[in-house]
Amino acid sequence: MSIRALRTIPLPLGVAIPVLAVLAALLVGIALVMSLGVSVADAFDSFLDGTIGSAYAVAVSLNRTVVYTLVGLGFILSARAGLTNVGGEGQIAVGGIAATAVALQGGVSGLPLGLAFLIPLLAATLAGAAWGGLAGVLKARIGTNEVISTLLLSFIAVWLVYWCVQSEALLRRPMTNAATLPESLPVPEASQIPLLSGDPAAPVTIGLAFAVVLALVVAVVLGRSRFGFQLRAVGLNPTAATRAGFSFSLTVVLALALAGALGGLAGGLMLLGEQYSLKTGFSSGYGYDGLVVGLLARGSVPGVVAAALLFGFLRSAGISMEMGAGVPTALVQILQGLIILAVAGASFWLDTRKA
């Protein structure tokens, strides 16, 4: 096979270049660890302990991956319509509020057939859809830039969480003394998401199954459905899409509402599967990391899954490295930034080469 023929095969190169970029970023990370005077061997051992060192570590990393996957799927779904949804953090927040409120005050704890957790998850999904759809309405009706609206709505949602856990009239647990933390009551056990294995030593929740199914659904919608074609048409040329019979306003609202629904579901899974009570800052920046996952994926569902796995295990590794080897958590943030820059640079090179 000639060199010219090899150049016509985009897939291996399209995979190899980003992988090499990630490896290069990891090498820079190793150099930074050495510059701090930390033993690379100790840091590596802590890295492995926090990611694959035990069934518990793997499970926690996978649960984080689920959240990143859902937010990333929402990002590429809206991006297909030419929209940039940066409101994952806010959508997670309102999803968490809705799931907690329904689980605690919705009278669902006695329902059979898993409805005790499915209904709160549905409420979280609908809350996220409403939050994302609001940005879509603003975009469609008055032309508000969705980057600004989704970002500002995220700030509002984060303060809504603060309000809910500070006010006893809303979700704050009754204060018994001055040391009572500003958080909600724990959700009932019946509303907690079941584990796939049933073993608390490996607490992977059924959220993983949800993420896998939704990734397949999004892949089919984007690649093989009329709605996916509609999203692409509106994203490429709104004027031509409108002349072809597609509603620009409806497409924009639906795209951002679906992205918000995925973010809201992620918030519900976090509350009912890991945290079990609503606290200020419970989303911990997952929405912004999920945004990066979506950016790195470049519109690809497999890319979302790969980037989500990378970031899910990296976050677990960062916590373990700080506790076990004294590596600052900020170094992991720097490493994530290096990975983003490396992959973005590699993607730019690939696009330029293709052009």
Side-chain angles (χ1 to χ4, degrees), residues 154-305:
S154 289
F155 289 121
I156 294 172
V158 169
W159 282 105
L160 282 176
V161 173
Y162 180 84
W163 183 29
C164 286
V165 299
Q166 291 287 344
S167 173
E168 290 190 59
L170 296 176
L171 292 175
R172 179 169 183 164
R173 67 193 312 165
M175 295 181 63
T176 56
N177 55 57
T180 302
L181 294 175
E183 61 184 24
S184 72
L185 290 168
V187 297
E189 186 174 351
S191 293
Q192 296 175 10
I193 299 174
L195 304 180
L196 281 178
S197 65
D199 182 7
V204 181
T205 70
I206 62 170
L208 180 62
F210 289 171
V212 171
V213 171
L214 287 171
L216 293 174
V217 169
V218 171
V220 171
V221 167
L222 292 181
R224 298 181 178 274
S225 73
R226 183 182 185 277
F227 181 63
F229 178 76
Q230 179 176 337
L231 290 173
R232 181 183 290 274
V234 169
L236 290 175
N237 193 322
T239 302
T242 300
R243 290 176 178 173
F246 297 128
S247 170
F248 172 79
S249 297
L250 181 61
T251 303
V252 167
V253 174
L254 283 177
L256 286 173
L258 289 172
L262 290 167
L265 176 60
L269 291 172
M270 288 179 68
L271 252 299
L272 303 181
E274 300 176 56
Q275 314 229 2
Y276 304 126
S277 63
L278 186 68
K279 308 176 184 68
T280 301
F282 82 94
S283 54
S284 303
Y286 279 77
Y288 298 117
D289 287 347
L291 161 66
V292 175
V293 166
L295 286 169
L296 293 180
R298 303 182 71 215
S300 163
V301 171
V304 167
V305 175

